[in-house]
Amino acid sequence: MPSDIALIIFELCTIVISSAVLGTLFLYARQPIILAYIAAGIVIGPDGLGWVKNAENISQIGHLGVILLLFLLGLNLQPRKLLTLFKESALVTLGTSGFFFGCTFVFALTIQLALMDALVAAAALMFSSTVIGLKLIPTTTLHHQRMGEVMTSILLVQDILAITVILLLNMNSDQTLIAAFVLLITKAVALCVLAFAGVKYVILPLFRKFDVIQEYSFITTLAWCLLWAEIGHQVDLSYESGAFIAGLSIAVSKVSQAIAQHLKPLREFFLILFFFAIGAKMQLLTGHVYTLYGIGFGAILIVLKRWGFKQALGFANEKSTMRNELSARLSQASEFSLLLAYSAINNGLLSSSGMMFIQSTTLSTFVISTYWVVKHYPTPISLANKLRQD
């Protein structure tokens, strides 16, 4: 037992230290720090230096970061604002997602991926990165300008669509698609009703009674998140959907933003472990042909996404300058691409070749898109002083 504890402590220390060192190097290179976590997994994971022998345990712990990520996403959305944003961006988001799905599907079949692999890859790569998109846009632009509003609404609808796709991947294979979807919606609505009732009659009265004790608000909110994550899992939705519903239910409270700030450091720690585990499971150094295909398609996908978003925003009558910048900021794949791929492979719907293709495509879009945005548009990590804004 002591040796097991020593191993766990050693691995956690190694992960955090290597992530900090590589994070420093990546920030100097004007790259998002999320890539440093993945790179740390590649370098010191089982296929690298081997300092972390088994990434599975780290992956399971890191999954809490994804649960908290979805909880905070819901926590930052007022239900009324959610409906307004959905109406504004639904057509743009669904139209572009369908276009990117079709392009990726055709390319995947062209390089002779299996039909199911092609479908999963097309679904995974039609989204843009919420983490990178929001990290690279100045705070003033995000909160006080039209571009920030449009970006938030597009990413929000994409996140909801991604959650829906993940839920469909986890559905019972014995059900028809229509029956499974109807059952899915019914369960989600039931959970929403119960969660909102729980917040109104239990959580908010407790917050009002003990509002001066910050530790109580923190632990109660965390408990609410994990309770509904577990309920979501038990009713065959997912941990992530339960956490999203829990966050959305608390968003009606005035203290939701303060709670979100308290939970962010905890989320960041577990996300380090999650993305490290992704890197540790990758085999990018093996030179597999589908890794090379993925890198090449990553460059193609960025061009397709820039063109697609630019055309769609034009149809929505957005200004030309905003169309150019926003299409560049949304041109990468998403962290949900990796999450969806892992969900598919765990359910036996994706081969190792398909996984390598999705992983390498996603990472190559992260790198290329970030370099392009940093070089041409205002970001907190821009190379030029005139573009460095926060």
Side-chain angles (χ1 to χ4, degrees), residues 238-282:
S238 71
Y239 290 112
E240 294 81 9
S241 61
F244 178 75
I245 290 171
L248 198 61
S249 66
I250 297 183
V252 298
S253 169
K254 294 180 180 179
V255 300
S256 60
Q257 293 305 305
I259 293 171
Q261 291 299 319
H262 291 155
L263 287 177
K264 279 184 178 179
L266 186 64
R267 176 202 65 180
E268 295 297 333
F269 173 73
F270 285 111
L271 282 179
I272 290 173
L273 301 182
F274 174 76
F275 286 111
F276 175 90
I278 287 176
K281 291 179 180 178
M282 288 182 176

Side-chain angles (χ1 to χ4, degrees), residues 86-250:
F86 184 83
K87 291 177 182 177
E88 289 181 355
S89 62
L91 289 178
V92 169
T93 307
L94 295 176
T96 52
S97 296
F99 173 68
F100 305 145
F101 179 96
C103 293
T104 305
F105 180 70
V106 171
F107 183 88
L109 291 180
T110 301
I111 61 174
Q112 298 183 338
L113 277 176
L115 177 61
M116 184 55 69
D117 284 354
L119 288 170
V120 173
L125 296 172
M126 64 183 178
F127 309 114
S128 302
S129 173
T130 301
V131 174
I132 293 178
L134 298 185
K135 289 288 186 182
L136 292 183
I137 191 169
T139 302
T140 51
T141 303
L142 178 64
H143 294 293
H144 303 295
Q145 295 185 19
R146 173 66 178 170
M147 184 181 298
E149 182 180 278
V150 174
M151 171 181 273
T152 302
S153 61
I154 290 174
L155 291 172
L156 168 62
V157 177
Q158 284 192 350
D159 289 347
I160 294 174
L161 183 60
I163 294 171
T164 304
V165 173
I166 291 172
L167 291 178
L168 291 175
L169 290 176
N170 291 321
M171 72 181 184
N172 190 332
S173 59
D174 295 332
Q175 297 173 319
T176 64
L177 182 61
I178 296 178
F181 186 74
V182 170
L183 183 60
L184 173 70
I185 296 299
T186 302
K187 289 179 180 178
V189 171
L191 257 64
C192 285
V193 171
L194 292 174
F196 276 87
V199 166
K200 181 178 180 179
Y201 296 108
V202 179
I203 299 300
L204 292 185
L206 289 174
F207 279 170
R208 285 191 289 267
K209 186 173 181 62
F210 302 110
D211 61 344
V212 296
I213 305 175
Q214 291 186 357
E215 292 85 351
Y216 179 78
S217 299
F218 173 82
I219 193 63
T220 302
T221 304
L222 186 59
W224 189 250
C225 166
L226 297 179
L227 169 65
W228 287 98
E230 181 61 32
I231 291 174
H233 173 67
Q234 293 296 329
V235 299
D236 295 327
L237 289 177
S238 71
Y239 290 112
E240 294 81 9
S241 61
F244 178 75
I245 290 171
L248 198 61
S249 66
I250 297 183

